[in-house]
Every structure is written in structure tokens, then in C-alpha cells.
Amino acid sequence: MHPSQTPAASPTIGKTLEPTDDTRRRATELNARRLRHGCLPLVPDGNLGMLASQHARYVADTGTLTHLSSEGQDPGARVRDSGIEARGVGETVARGREARRWSSEVGDPASDCDVTRIGVGYGEGRCTVIAPVVGCLVSAGRIRVEIYTAR
């Protein structure tokens, strides 16, 4: 099994992780917009951030913008299996200007007041080298994954 295909969910069960600076920054950006909609601020969540980072690395390694893990789990299943309780789950997977959104029971985290928590992770795409002089033939680039939940 490739390292990017290891199950992502189990390491968070029973642990509370500190959110990363990336997660805190994104929550701050979204909270400015949420205020205009009368929503409470999003809480940066380290456990969601860890799940987002693991999925971002998987997406970067495979070069496909997908919401499914190597085991075929959607974001809701990954969050549930990690032990995080949530009424709804949403995920955005992005590379540059290209983004794909998936959600179950939640809307846009910038305007859906039911969304309460967010985690952000990044993965760097690997290159398929055709010759040392030529460089990358294909690179997934920098991948951003945001996972957000409603309680």
C-alpha cells in the first residue's frame, strides 16, 4: 500500500489537535464574510485540519481532484470514522482556480450559519520526470482541502 493510501481517520480518535496557522487564517477570512450574514465565527479545528491535510496529500499524490479516499470513503465517512461528531459535513478540494465542492447537509461555510468548524490542509503534487533536464511532465501542483462541519 502506498503511504498516501493509508487510512486517514483513525489517528484523531480520542485526541484533540491544535489547529494549524493555515486553518486559523482561513477561518479568519471566512469569518469576515460570515459576519455580514449574521453567523457566529467558525472555530478552527485541528482534527479536521489533520483529515484535510491527509486528503490533500492523497489528492496531490494521485493528481486527481476527488472527494473519495483510496478506500472509497467520502468526506462524511472520513469525518465520522475519525470520531468527530457532525450533523453535516462539507469539503472543498482545490488546485489553483479549479475547485470541487462536496456537501452533506451543509452549505457554503462563508454564509451557512449552521457550519461551525473548519480544518484546512495542503498537499504538494509530485512530478513525473521525463528527463532530468526537461523537468516535470505532470504535476498536481499545490492542493488545498477544506473540511467543514455543522453540529
Side-chain angles (χ1 to χ4, degrees), residues 1 18 66 77 87 100-101 112 122 130:
M1 181 180 285
E18 283 295 314
T66 181
R87 179 181 57 75
R100 298 214 173 123
R101 214 166 151 263
D112 182 345
Y122 289 92
I130 56 172

Side-chain angles (χ1 to χ4, degrees), residues 1 7 9 17 21 28 35-36 42 71 76 79 88 98 115 121 135 140 145:
M1 181 180 285
L17 304 174
D21 289 342
T28 299
L35 184 62
R36 291 191 292 265
L42 288 172
E71 294 83 26
V79 167
E98 183 181 7
V115 175
V145 173

